[in-house]
Amino acid sequence: MPHFDAAYNLARWLTRSEEDSRDVVQEAYLRAFTFFESFRGGDARAWLFAIVRNTCFTWLRKNRSSDLATEFDETIHTPPPSAEPLELRLADAEMLREGLEKLPAEHREVLVLREMEGLSYREIAEVTGTAIGTVMSRLSRARKRLHDLLAVPAGEES
């Protein structure tokens, strides 16, 4: 099945559960097969990611709507200008996983699509159904929040 591992990876990070992500991916592939005639060509991977994403959020709304609640305060989430990019690949894998788990779904989503699956901003915009500027700001906020989570010594999280 094409792109199965990548679809599972996205679903796993959005649902935070191996079992649930398997169910979601199975449902997403069934939807993709059912609605394949609506595919207009282009990037099949982005099309499939959009289906997986929508299936995940539908599942989350039905089963865990609290996971979709995002506490957002512009003053807290707007990062100051920084000359240093966040080096995700240098962080300890377990600490990174724990940090990602603590992020809201919309932040985990853009980080997984960009950093783990290598999608471009344009592809992420297609998958999420948002403007490129929204993708860029979400990604910036997600990186900043993840950086803040990883910078806090263990046991001192708020």
Side-chain angles (χ1 to χ4, degrees):
M1 299 204 332
H3 311 299
F4 180 81
D5 290 340
Y8 173 79
N9 189 41
L10 176 60
R12 167 64 185 89
W13 282 108
L14 291 177
T15 64
R16 299 179 179 165
S17 164
E18 288 185 37
E19 289 180 27
D20 296 336
S21 60
R22 282 187 227 126
D23 292 342
V24 166
V25 169
Q26 182 177 356
E27 176 66 24
Y29 270 83
L30 181 59
R31 288 181 185 185
F33 179 74
T34 303
F35 296 104
F36 185 73
E37 63 191 37
S38 69
F39 178 58
R40 303 283 183 241
D43 187 357
R45 185 175 182 216
W47 180 75
L48 179 62
F49 277 154
I51 295 170
V52 171
R53 175 194 184 269
N54 292 338
T55 305
C56 281
F57 281 109
T58 299
W59 185 89
L60 285 168
R61 272 191 293 280
K62 287 180 184 175
N63 297 288
R64 286 192 264 147
S65 60
S66 63
D67 279 3
L68 295 175
T70 302
E71 296 175 17
F72 186 80
D73 179 346
E74 189 71 36
T75 59
I76 294 172
H77 296 292
T78 302
S82 173
E84 295 184 38
L86 178 62
E87 300 293 330
L88 289 176
R89 297 172 204 260
L90 298 179
D92 175 69
E94 181 62 22
M95 188 168 43
L96 178 59
R97 185 194 63 74
E98 289 174 5
L100 281 169
E101 291 284 343
K102 293 176 185 176
L103 293 175
E106 68 179 12
H107 289 168
R108 281 193 318 272
E109 170 185 53
V110 294
L111 280 172
V112 168
L113 291 172
R114 178 70 182 151
E115 304 299 341
M116 295 179 181
E117 299 304 331
L119 269 62
S120 69
Y121 291 165
R122 182 176 310 279
E123 290 170 322
I124 296 169
E126 288 176 26
V127 169
T128 61
T130 59
I132 290 177
T134 302
V135 170
M136 293 168 65
S137 64
R138 280 186 188 168
L139 192 53
S140 175
R141 289 183 183 119
R143 286 174 172 157
K144 170 68 171 127
R145 181 69 182 127
L146 183 59
H147 177 269
D148 292 348
L149 287 169
L150 296 177
V152 173
E156 296 181 24
E157 296 131 7
S158 54

